Amino acid sequence: MTQCLRLRPPLTPHLSPFSLTFQSPKTAAFAFRKPYSISPRMSSSSSSPQQVIEHIVLFKVKPETEPSKLNSMLTGLNGLTSLNLALHLTAGPVLRTGSSLFSFTHMLHSRYSSKDDLAAYSAHPDHLHVVRETVLPICEDIMAVDWVGEGFSGSFAPPPGSALKVSFLKLKESVVDGAKDEVLGVIRGIKDGSPAVQQLTCGENFSPARAKGFSIASLAVFKGVTEMEAAESNKELVESRKEKVRNHLDGVIVVDYLVPGSASL
């Protein structure tokens, strides 16, 4: 099983046309002293469209956790870049999370060239050691979602200061494949109608055992928090996208994450 920012002041809650969120976000409760950013192991960008494997892990750290143990977890997770398997890997506290059922405090985002590379990372003894020794002892909840991002182009590693919006959607049990395609179509259309979105990937989760029933995932990359907030301010667009998918959804998790600067290493 894969276990797998400096925190800004709490942001004003609002609905997001990018996350299709249906509830007000909650500010994360945790920060750690020193953020980390991990450089990719291979070519830093793709000039032509291709696929990338997206891997997101959300953690809820126990409130009573000592700062030193939290730092050990984050140091260990970010150190997994030494395995030379990920195109990009970063872990740190979330900027903001929105869910009526879950309240995650930290996130890991990594990208891989193939499912085989992700599987090798997951099974590697060093990864298992970090999870066993530093993650499990201090986390009360963990979920992970993996998907294939088709038509990917640009930098595999979002630049420091980039804002990421990750959305997980749980479909109603009665939803058929045609409706699932409709939901994915709405998500894919976000980038065309929103110039502030620098990258957008979405797809079906292929690791259902770890995803708490959430089967659709997306990740939008913005230049920064300012650009993300400006793009979210179009309430008409919010309602339009919500209306298109509302009847198909049984739950939504949204997480905002700020890629830390290398100067903080």
Side-chain angles (χ1 to χ4, degrees), residues 91-215:
V94 303
L95 182 65
R96 180 176 55 193
T97 181
S99 171
S100 60
L101 299 176
F102 306 99
S103 180
F104 294 103
T105 60
H106 293 76
M107 187 181 96
L108 180 145
H109 172 224
S110 54
R111 285 171 163 169
Y112 302 84
S113 295
S114 66
K115 291 183 179 180
D116 287 343
D117 281 354
L118 173 57
Y121 160 85
S122 301
H124 196 284
D126 288 355
H127 169 259
L128 297 176
H129 174 79
V130 169
V131 170
R132 182 177 61 252
E133 299 299 325
T134 71
V135 176
L136 295 181
I138 68 170
C139 288
E140 62 182 44
D141 197 10
I142 300 171
M143 73 176 291
V145 176
D146 307 313
W147 70 97
V148 179
E150 300 285 358
F152 179 87
S153 62
S155 175
F156 292 120
S162 298
L164 310 185
K165 181 171 290 294
V166 177
S167 301
F168 298 152
L169 309 182
K170 178 184 288 188
L171 302 179
K172 293 180 179 178
E173 293 183 1
S174 59
V175 168
V176 297
D177 287 342
K180 184 184 300 183
D181 292 340
E182 182 181 351
V183 172
L184 286 169
V186 171
I187 298 173
R188 293 188 182 106
I190 289 172
K191 191 173 188 298
D192 293 337
S194 305
V197 179
Q198 297 182 329
Q199 287 181 346
L200 178 71
T201 70
C202 66
E204 292 188 56
N205 173 47
F206 59 81
S207 302
R210 304 167 295 154
K212 301 182 184 295
F214 289 80
S215 59

Side-chain angles (χ1 to χ4, degrees), residues 29-118:
F30 285 88
F32 65 103
R33 192 171 305 168
K34 184 177 179 182
Y36 300 84
S37 182
I38 303 302
S39 300
R41 67 174 175 91
M42 299 172 64
S43 173
S44 61
S45 64
S46 167
S47 58
S48 58
Q50 58 177 296
Q51 74 172 30
V52 66
I53 305 302
E54 300 276 23
H55 175 61
I56 296 287
V57 184
L58 299 178
F59 310 88
K60 183 177 182 180
V61 176
K62 298 174 183 177
E64 68 274 14
T65 299
E66 298 175 6
S68 61
K69 292 182 179 180
L70 177 55
N71 281 327
S72 293
M73 181 188 83
L74 294 168
T75 299
L77 290 173
N78 281 295
L80 294 173
T81 186
S82 63
L83 302 183
N84 201 34
L85 291 166
L87 297 168
H88 167 68
L89 189 153
T90 180
V94 303
L95 182 65
R96 180 176 55 193
T97 181
S99 171
S100 60
L101 299 176
F102 306 99
S103 180
F104 294 103
T105 60
H106 293 76
M107 187 181 96
L108 180 145
H109 172 224
S110 54
R111 285 171 163 169
Y112 302 84
S113 295
S114 66
K115 291 183 179 180
D116 287 343
D117 281 354
L118 173 57

Side-chain angles (χ1 to χ4, degrees), residues 159-164 196-199 221-228 258:
S162 298
L164 310 185
V197 179
Q198 297 182 329
Q199 287 181 346
V221 180
F222 299 83
K223 182 179 180 180
V225 173
T226 300
E227 288 76 11
M228 180 172 65
L258 185 65

